[in-house]
Amino acid sequence: DTVNYDSDGAVISADVTAGGREQTIEIRLSRSRRKELFINGVKKKSAADFAGTVRAVLFCPGDLDIIREGASERRRFLDMCISQLRPRYAEALAKFSKAYEEKTRILRDSEEKPSLLEFLDEYDRHLAVLSAELIHYRAGFIAALSPIAAEIHRDFSGGSEELTLRYKTVSTVTDPLLPASELV
């Protein structure tokens, strides 16, 4: 799609400053050959060789779903980000999902097997403990991200706007930054 219909190829180039030095990167596209990548005229094997030379943030229209789609999409995004930084969070999230599915199954099957309802209190306690851990991680992540995001936004807006982030969860939790043991 990048190559013009009446052309055999295209060149994308940029002058960048990386590692304190000026560098030229170039991507040569061809209809008949594989793309070729160059840094300062030296051919590279793959795009991975550009790591550290080109630092970029890709923003796609779909990223607006974080705002447009509501709380569940924001939680999914937070879960993905935090899981990359904190493996214990990913573990707690997996345990929560499993316990939630099991509780749902108990409720669904309880009409045929009423004895299953005996386990509900235990599942509720377990879910409360896991939820408190997730809330604590999410609130901590937002608290750490907030000053960084505010500074970047201030820079983008030329100092004319102020951005603040806060994590809001269920109404019964007034301070999500409390230790998980107190949130339970």
Side-chain angles (χ1 to χ4, degrees):
D1 289 343
T2 308
V3 177
N4 211 355
Y5 287 112
D6 54 352
S7 298
D8 291 330
V11 175
I12 302 167
S13 66
D15 294 323
V16 299
T17 302
R21 31 185 284 245
E22 292 283 325
Q23 299 185 59
T24 300
I25 60 169
E26 190 174 288
I27 303 171
R28 296 180 191 165
L29 305 171
S30 170
R31 291 195 186 280
S32 59
R33 295 185 318 268
R34 294 175 50 112
K35 71 180 170 200
E36 298 176 305
L37 310 168
F38 296 85
I39 299 177
N40 295 330
V42 178
K43 189 172 181 179
K44 300 297 177 180
K45 291 181 181 180
S46 71
D49 294 327
F50 280 40
T53 303
V54 178
R55 293 187 177 108
V57 174
L58 176 63
F59 181 79
C60 301
D63 293 341
L64 290 175
D65 289 344
I66 296 168
I67 297 163
R68 201 177 16 228
E69 297 298 323
S72 64
E73 185 63 21
R74 288 189 290 278
R75 272 191 304 276
R76 188 195 65 74
F77 179 76
L78 276 177
D79 291 343
M80 182 181 62
C81 291
I82 301 168
S83 291
Q84 292 177 32
L85 299 170
R86 304 277 186 247
R88 288 192 64 221
Y89 178 81
E91 183 182 317
L93 187 60
K95 286 179 182 177
F96 175 86
S97 296
K98 183 179 180 201
Y100 186 81
E101 287 173 23
E102 288 170 353
K103 179 183 175 182
T104 302
R105 200 172 316 116
I106 287 171
L107 291 171
R108 190 177 47 239
D109 296 345
S110 66
E111 196 170 300
E112 290 178 22
K113 299 178 187 174
S115 62
L116 290 173
L117 295 174
E118 295 173 26
F119 300 103
L120 270 186
D121 287 344
E122 186 57 38
Y123 272 95
D124 287 342
R125 277 190 287 282
H126 187 56
L127 284 168
V129 169
L130 292 169
S131 295
E133 189 174 355
L134 296 177
I135 289 168
H136 182 72
Y137 269 112
R138 289 172 180 160
F141 178 77
I142 294 298
L145 181 63
S146 185
I148 299 164
E151 182 60 35
I152 291 168
H153 186 79
R154 196 175 306 110
D155 187 41
F156 277 123
S157 70
S160 65
E161 296 177 4
E162 192 68 31
L163 174 73
T164 57
L165 302 178
R166 68 185 170 94
Y167 178 69
K168 187 174 179 182
T169 185
V170 293
S171 61
T172 55
V173 175
T174 55
D175 184 0
L177 287 169
L178 288 172
S181 59
E182 291 183 43
L183 291 174
V184 174

